Amino acid sequence: MWTRQHKQRNTGRLIIPSLCVLFLAYFGFHAYHGEFGIYSKYRLEAQAVELQAQLDTVKARRIDFERRVQLMHEGTLEKDMLDEQARKALNLSQPDEITIMLPAPAK
């Protein structure tokens, strides 16, 4: 009678732990880099700070515009403001005046 002797392999013992390691690595990677992961939280916080700074500049510009519009309301129309706006719109100045060009506001 013939008998076969098999050498025991250790690969069978490593299948389940290696699958567990792969699953943990997959979920760990997505817990950090995923759409709702830890890294995206920091990215959203940085974006919130940047957008808050933009909001502050827009609010400051709006307050300035409201103040300037208030100066041009009927009954309180200031001639200096009217003159400034007309010269700016028509791009005119008198020959004896000094013109100071201001840079355009940053957007």
Side-chain angles (χ1 to χ4, degrees), residues 54-73 81:
Q54 286 180 359
L55 178 65
D56 293 341
T57 58
V58 168
K59 281 184 178 179
R61 285 182 58 202
R62 179 183 172 155
I63 290 170
D64 184 50
F65 286 143
E66 286 177 352
R67 183 187 56 80
R68 294 178 69 120
V69 167
Q70 187 67 29
L71 292 174
M72 292 191 295
H73 272 260
M81 179 59 77

Side-chain angles (χ1 to χ4, degrees), residues 33-106:
H33 291 288
E35 183 180 355
F36 301 107
I38 297 169
Y39 179 69
S40 65
K41 175 188 169 191
Y42 297 127
R43 202 176 31 184
L44 287 175
E45 287 175 354
Q47 185 180 11
V49 168
E50 179 182 324
L51 290 175
Q52 184 64 41
Q54 286 180 359
L55 178 65
D56 293 341
T57 58
V58 168
K59 281 184 178 179
R61 285 182 58 202
R62 179 183 172 155
I63 290 170
D64 184 50
F65 286 143
E66 286 177 352
R67 183 187 56 80
R68 294 178 69 120
V69 167
Q70 187 67 29
L71 292 174
M72 292 191 295
H73 272 260
E74 210 173 312
T76 61
L77 189 63
E78 290 192 16
K79 292 182 181 181
D80 291 336
M81 179 59 77
L82 181 64
D83 185 52
E84 177 187 343
Q85 294 296 323
R87 287 173 187 266
K88 190 175 184 181
L90 299 174
N91 200 16
L92 295 174
S93 65
Q94 299 293 332
D96 60 343
E97 291 180 338
I98 298 173
T99 304
I100 300 173
M101 302 298 279
L102 296 176

